[in-house]
Amino acid sequence: MRVGLFVTCVNDTLYPRTGRAVVTLLERLGVRVDFPAEQSCCGQPLFNTGYRHRTEPLLRRYAAAFSDHDYIVTPSGSCAAMVRDNYPRIAAKAAAEGRGGAVPEAVTEAAARTYELTEFLVDVLGVTDVGARYPHTVTYHPTCHGLRVLGLGDRPRRLLEHVEGLELRELPGAEECCGFGGTFAVKNPAVSAAMGADKARAVTATGARTLCTVDNSCLMHLGGILAREGSPVRPVHIAEILAGAEDDPEPPHGTARGGGAR
Amino acid sequence: MTGTYLGMPSFPRAAEASTRDARLRANLRRATGTIRAKRDRAVAELDDWERLRAAGAAVKDRTLRHLDHYLVQLEESVTRAGGTVHWAADAAEANRIVTGLVLATGEREVVKVKSMATQETGLNGALAAAGIRAYETDLAELIVQLGDDLPSHILVPAIHRNRSEIRDIFRSRMADWGLPAPEGLTDSPADLAEAARLHLREKFLRAKVAVSGANFAVAETGTLVVVESEGNGRMCLTLPETLISVVGIEKVVPTWRDLEIFLQLLPRSSTAERMNPYTSMWAGTTDGDGPRAFHLVLLDNGRTDTLADTTGRRALRCIRCSACLNVCPVYERAGGHAYGSPYPGPIGAVLTPQLRGLASPLEESLPFASSLCGACFEACPVAIDIPEILVHLRERVAEGGPVTIRGTRTVIRPAKRHGAERAVMAAAGWALDHPRALRRGQRLLARTRGLHPRRLPGPGRAWSDTRDLPDVPPESFRDWWARTRGGTGRAGGTS
Ligand code: SF4
């Protein structure tokens, strides 16, 4: 089984810890991970801002970088959603508009092999107990694209519930958007900030010390607000919790328990 | 006189003020939160909801594809039943037709059934200019009218008002429009409803002309359908001698069998009821019963142009239930007025720029008034993928492209104010497709991490005014991988 890690540009540049956690986690589960260096950004910021044509080279790049992997795994709900939901549409439109040649098939086919991390763990590997330990209180925010486009359902929760020492706190209004929305945060700063502030308040009120999601872009927005407000809650990507992230110098991360593959 | 939408600021500018209005935020949060929970329960009762949605979407799509056919059929059916059909290409023509019809009756006042189409055309203003007074009879529309206000919600136009504000409006303004508010009016719902009832009753009994919209128009029989909760619409539809209905051309449904689907979808989605209290249906005129003259004004006003766009046209499925508004986190914070149109919320963000075209900075800003969270799509009873249409329209703003304006296919240029953004996106697109350059950028960012400010200048302020910036790590994932895994990467290796 050849597994390619699509780390995403945000994680690559700002949250390499998340990428390292995915590698640690998958290797602990007996999966050999490959990182094709030709990979880049999924193109979501360009696409969602209205620059569909500019995303086309990135589609081709993605399909080429991951052409010989059985599975493409990414620790980002919204990037997985971009690839799975929008790549086939963009490729089809490019073909209809006379660009792209044979690429639509390659892109659509690569999109179908793409999995968000928790999907890959639960659906492909068939595990919900990944042998992690994280002795902290955690509240989980289901990000919009994970929830509504990918339909992740309770997969992330099931994984978290099996983490040793982890105490899950219910987040009221969990399904409401945090207000990030990519360039929305910059184009509509007042509404984005109002949504983020409401979400941050709900998060802090749970009393949990960790806010967990499947997406670092939402965490960057919420973490930025929480930090500005002096909230004690720390944003942590689910991969880092599931990895136990023992290579991480910064607390409060758990450690791997057992660590055998299953 | 009600307000006007002319010259409204762009969405972000309007929202900057409205998001700071604590009372507005509280009113909206309470109102939408309540209806949201009720809708969830009403929808959960039906185990075939998803199939109903799909059926509703399919019927609308088919009807829209053959709209020319069904509209002609509707005209024949209505005419056969004793009504008169008028065609209005735009708002001005619709207003002209209605004004002329009212003046011809010799009357100088009309009662109105709540109608989105006449809000869209600004009919009340046109009537006032011709010396005709239009009385809104829907409770929430009445509140808006008395308050010289604009509607902010499709179903509950005065959703931005709370009870004590409504009492104050009744007390200070009812006397100007007819029967004054009773002495000692309180803000209890029963008292407010009674005051409105007394105020309106006088008008129902006097009015000789009524103006309405319609939720549906059944082509096979020429039947118009108005769905409502209060019964005030029923009064207007039955008591006056002349009834004029202004209806968007996308409201046609082919048959009664099709109608049945929507009579299940609409009440559950809009008021969270299994069935709405009043469903009025009429075809033409009937001797000795109801209005003696019936006029149907079929309104285009940008709909045919919208129909020409195969992605954008799905917005014409809309049955105006307002479920998408009630679940929208952006609507809840910004309020309906920020959308600068009688159609606020997610549906307004896709409908207004299409019906009006990208006419001003407001219309250009509407497709961006969404975080693309998808809650609207999930709630929509006719499964309109609003996020997909939003992104489609963003492309029209950012890159230009083919559109239809008044029936003529043309290619529009990218919006003016997007020049700088276009340059940034072009540069980003290039860099992202050249990992070497990207990697150099990452390393530069990492090397200068000690110098990064906590707050950004210029456009970056939009981010850093309310949020801390993330710390830049000393080493990118790429570099870590190359260092620890022996540089198995190919492109993007050392630079
Ligand atoms: S778009 Fe859908 S949810 Fe929104 S008002 Fe129209 S029918 Fe209702």
Side-chain angles (χ1 to χ4, degrees), chain A residues 2 5 7 9 11-21 23-24 27 33-41 43 45-54 57-58 61 65 68 85 89 93 97 144-145 147-148 175-177 179-195 198-199 201 217 220-225 227-228 247, chain B residues 11-12 15-17 19 25 29 36 311 327 329-334 365 368-375 378 385 388 391-392 394-396 398-399 418 421-429 431-435 438 442 445 454-455 459-460 462-473 475-481 485 488-493:
Chain A
R2 286 209 65 190
L5 168 63
V7 79
C9 60
N11 289 327
D12 182 15
T13 309
L14 295 173
Y15 302 97
R17 209 168 61 196
T18 299
R20 297 200 301 268
V23 175
T24 307
E27 287 181 347
V33 188
D34 180 30
F35 176 76
E38 313 88 87
Q39 66 179 272
S40 178
C41 165
L46 294 164
F47 180 70
N48 284 352
T49 315
Y51 298 88
R52 169 169 61 91
H53 296 97
R54 300 257 174 227
L58 299 174
R61 172 170 287 282
D68 51 1
D85 208 39
R89 287 186 201 164
K93 275 196 184 172
E97 291 166 11
C144 299
H145 292 159
L147 184 73
R148 299 192 184 89
E175 298 195 347
E176 193 170 303
C177 178
F180 173 62
T183 47
F184 172 75
V186 179
K187 284 183 178 279
N188 279 285
V191 181
S192 170
M195 288 163 68
D198 288 346
K199 179 64 76 180
R201 201 171 308 121
S217 45
M220 177 169 72
H221 159 76
L222 286 173
I225 294 172
R228 180 65 57 86
D247 66 332
Chain B
F11 183 86
E16 203 185 312
T19 46
R25 291 264 302 271
R29 175 161 275 264
R36 221 181 282 179
T311 303
V327 298
V330 175
Y331 172 85
E332 186 187 309
R333 270 99 190 161
S365 72
F368 298 91
S370 165
S371 65
L372 305 178
C373 81
E378 194 176 57
D385 188 341
E388 188 189 356
V391 172
H392 174 70
R394 288 176 185 190
E395 184 183 321
R396 185 176 295 174
E399 295 194 321
H418 286 246
E421 176 186 285
R422 225 171 7 256
V424 170
M425 290 297 178
L432 292 171
D433 197 31
H434 292 77
L438 192 64
Q442 283 177 337
L445 203 61
R454 273 277 158 239
R455 289 173 198 236
W463 177 270
S464 63
D465 268 356
T466 48
R467 311 164 187 88
D468 279 359
L469 291 165
D471 289 321
V472 175
E475 185 182 51
S476 70
F477 179 83
R478 227 167 251 283
D479 281 347
W480 172 81
W481 180 272
R485 310 279 149 156
T488 46
R490 283 154 282 180

Side-chain angles (χ1 to χ4, degrees), chain B residues 6-70:
Chain B
L6 279 178
M8 295 274 289
S10 70
F11 183 86
R13 272 188 50 208
E16 203 185 312
S18 59
T19 46
R20 280 202 296 261
D21 183 339
R23 178 154 74 171
L24 174 71
R25 291 264 302 271
N27 291 353
L28 280 175
R29 175 161 275 264
R30 192 175 328 105
T32 57
T34 311
I35 186 77
R36 221 181 282 179
K38 276 166 59 182
R39 189 208 78 100
D40 285 349
R41 283 196 296 274
V43 164
E45 279 183 359
L46 296 185
D47 50 15
D48 63 346
W49 183 253
E50 285 310 316
R51 280 169 49 212
L52 262 177
R53 273 180 100 206
V59 169
K60 282 284 182 182
D61 283 353
R62 176 164 47 83
T63 311
L64 289 168
R65 256 198 322 275
H66 306 289
L67 195 58
D68 50 347
H69 166 78
Y70 291 116

